[in-house]
Amino acid sequence: VILIDDLKDIANRVSQLRQKEREYRELFENASYGIHRLSIDGRQLHANPALVRLNGYEAEDDMLAAMAGTPHLDYVEAVRASAFVEE
């Protein structure tokens, strides 16, 4: 049995999570410096508009397509890259 208070608590937590997600998206999309997300094997999954511009592209899809198949962990020392992948 779920009580009304439990439902209110769940709804409140969902609302807070949605707000945090909006804040993250705004930060990612509007940052003036380049940010990207990588897969565990170093493939770029997502890049913000600033990084796309810094790399000379007009669209994120164009940049990601051009960099497909190129691992991006090589800017990190090999030992640290291995530790990152293990984590």
Side-chain angles (χ1 to χ4, degrees), residues 12-28:
N12 187 34
R13 283 187 276 165
V14 167
S15 177
Q16 289 173 350
L17 284 173
R18 287 186 177 143
Q19 176 60 31
K20 294 295 181 190
E21 180 182 6
R22 275 191 298 275
E23 290 171 7
Y24 165 79
R25 287 182 186 278
E26 289 174 7
L27 176 65
F28 188 86

Side-chain angles (χ1 to χ4, degrees), residues 2-15:
I2 296 177
L3 300 174
I4 299 241
D5 286 340
D6 292 336
L7 291 175
K8 287 179 182 177
D9 185 48
I10 291 168
N12 187 34
R13 283 187 276 165
V14 167
S15 177

Side-chain angles (χ1 to χ4, degrees), residues 33-54:
Y33 48 87
I35 304 172
H36 61 144
R37 289 184 29 227
L38 300 175
S39 67
I40 193 70
D41 61 354
R43 289 178 299 110
Q44 283 196 356
L45 300 173
H46 190 51
N48 72 339
L51 185 62
V52 172
R53 284 190 307 274
L54 287 168

